[in-house]
Amino acid sequence: METNRKKYYITTYGCQMNLHESEKIAGILCEMGYELAENEKEADIIVFNTCCIRENAEDRAEGNIGALKQLKRKNKDLIIAVGGCMTQQEGYADKLLEKLPFIDIVFGTHNLEQLRPLIEKRLNGKKHVKEVWEKEGEIVENTPKTRTSYPNAWVNIVYGCNNFCTYCIVPYVRGRERSRKPEDIINECRSLIKEGYKEITLLGQNVNSYGKDLGTTSFADLINEIAKIDGKFRLRFMTNHPKDFSLELIEALKNNPKVCKVVHLPVQAGSNRILKLMNRHYTREDYLSKIKLLRENIPDMAVTTDIMVGFPTETEEDFLDTLNLVKEVGFSGAFTFIYSKRNGTPAAKMDGQIDEETSKRRIMQLIDVQNTANRNQSKGYLGKTIEILCEGYDEKRGKYLGRDVYGRMAYFSGDESLLGQFVNVKITKTGGMSLLGDVVKD
Ligand code: SAH
Ligand code: SF4
Ligand code: F3S
């Protein structure tokens, strides 16, 4: 049904945290009376929620914002707002406005919740509204949210990061660690389950740091509490820092069947020399012994990871250490990245930056090893019946999709009634990372 309501469109880059933040931006816009547009052309306000973790994330965002120049020329009332990690970088907002002067509003990660008054200022005639807070404010509760990821719901537990890995921009654009109060988190989870969400993903740059600033509740305590909420649902969390991955947490995972059987434990590198330069605070041996401890307690636990190649001074020998670690652990998934120099981080000033050709060769080798592992693990699924939470429809494949408790994606035929349901799927074909199967009725 066509209405006269004004419309919004949001483009999000980066991590799950940003996807969730876009749900808050959408919530604020809906509260102001906007409704979702089908595309940019229909929109009265277009928001870019950006990421700056690697250079290509920034380039893509700048390219896509730049491409709106024509639209803006045709429609003078169109509002273009840019926020997120990219704009939070020191001095970046001015540079962006110089480069793309048709942008109407620039805001940062620290004042996302205050977006409404910025839009109102623009609507009241101010040409450019630029407001990027230098420091993080108090945690804002009760920001409206328009969730877009049913049956999954993201829930923030800790904001910011104190770790200062030497390659990483996040601590500079997300501020220091701040934990939400346990009761606020638990109440949010409880209402989400009541509303019918079937999976909760707890979010933090380092979820293991949860509660350190509060001094009352640890991450393990929080898991134990959330898992007590009645109803059938899955509990996930992102991301763990290996240095803080503890036996207390492993026990909480073991004792709560609602917790998914997969942990994301970014290793970054397999060479002790590189791990030290990265300021990761663990060695290869520490990492491997934590994996061992985890598997002794929960033998079928899947582990996924993030790995980087081409960190300054990385030698062939360092890289082989990474490759061997990947083979040894047998990750059930890995996000692989080429190191990208981020201004303002200590690694950007290090000697021995690695040339692109070497990094590209290394990442291809790494991807190759991981792909083999993925294929082999997928093969193990053939003929098995697994429980999938149906979470969407893939237009291209013409199939419904969802993941099992280990995070493995499966595709199957069905109808809309399956969305948000737990279904049993018998696997008939396996590919690299994904599985194909048929729903079996019980
Ligand atoms: N807090 C998470 C990671 C968040 S960023 C953690 O500590 O594990 C997600 C991933 O991006 C990181 O794990 C890392 O592998 C990668 N990354 C971060 N900075 C990068 C950079 N400068 N270049 C390339 N990859 C980077
Ligand atoms: Fe970045 Fe390290 Fe913090 Fe992760 S833990 S966000 S990699 S600084
Ligand atoms: Fe996420 Fe990118 Fe920011 S990965 S925290 S959106 S820099």
Side-chain angles (χ1 to χ4, degrees), residues 53 161-165 167-171 205-206 241 268 280:
I53 197 86
C161 181
N162 289 357
N163 289 316
F164 290 94
C165 303
Y167 50 80
C168 187
I169 194 84
V170 171
Q205 290 299 346
N206 177 14
H241 194 303
Q268 313 297 359
R280 288 291 285 179

Side-chain angles (χ1 to χ4, degrees), residues 205-247:
Q205 290 299 346
N206 177 14
V207 288
N208 307 110
S209 287
Y210 176 77
K212 283 188 184 160
D213 52 336
L214 303 173
T216 48
T217 313
S218 69
F219 180 52
D221 296 334
L222 189 67
I223 294 263
N224 288 328
E225 284 307 309
I226 298 173
K228 276 188 207 151
I229 299 173
D230 283 340
K232 178 163 177 162
F233 66 94
R234 289 180 181 173
L235 186 57
R236 293 175 184 274
F237 46 89
M238 289 273 281
T239 291
N240 290 272
H241 194 303
K243 78 174 163 60
D244 302 316
F245 195 70
S246 63
L247 183 60

Side-chain angles (χ1 to χ4, degrees), residues 109-137:
T109 59
H110 298 326
N111 61 330
L112 179 142
E113 283 87 358
Q114 279 75 23
L115 184 59
R116 183 176 186 145
L118 303 187
I119 297 172
E120 281 165 350
K121 263 190 212 163
R122 176 66 189 86
L123 290 171
N124 291 334
K126 193 161 188 283
K127 198 155 178 262
H128 290 292
V129 184
K130 186 195 80 179
E131 200 170 315
V132 180
W133 290 1
E134 229 172 84
K135 276 210 161 5
E136 60 275 43

Side-chain angles (χ1 to χ4, degrees), residues 13-15 18 50-53 85 169-170 174 205:
Y13 303 86
C15 58
N18 246 24
T50 62
C51 168
C52 58
I53 197 86
C85 290
I169 194 84
V170 171
R174 291 281 176 168
Q205 290 299 346

Side-chain angles (χ1 to χ4, degrees), residues 54-90:
R54 284 169 289 275
E55 199 179 348
N56 57 8
E58 287 194 334
D59 291 347
R60 250 188 316 138
E62 282 187 10
N64 290 343
I65 302 164
L68 292 186
K69 202 172 166 180
Q70 295 302 330
L71 211 58
K72 181 78 182 169
R73 198 170 284 159
K74 272 193 235 147
N75 175 5
K76 291 268 180 284
D77 293 330
L78 171 66
I79 297 178
I80 297 175
V82 185
C85 290
M86 188 167 99
T87 50
Q88 186 64 50
Q89 295 173 92
E90 207 185 325

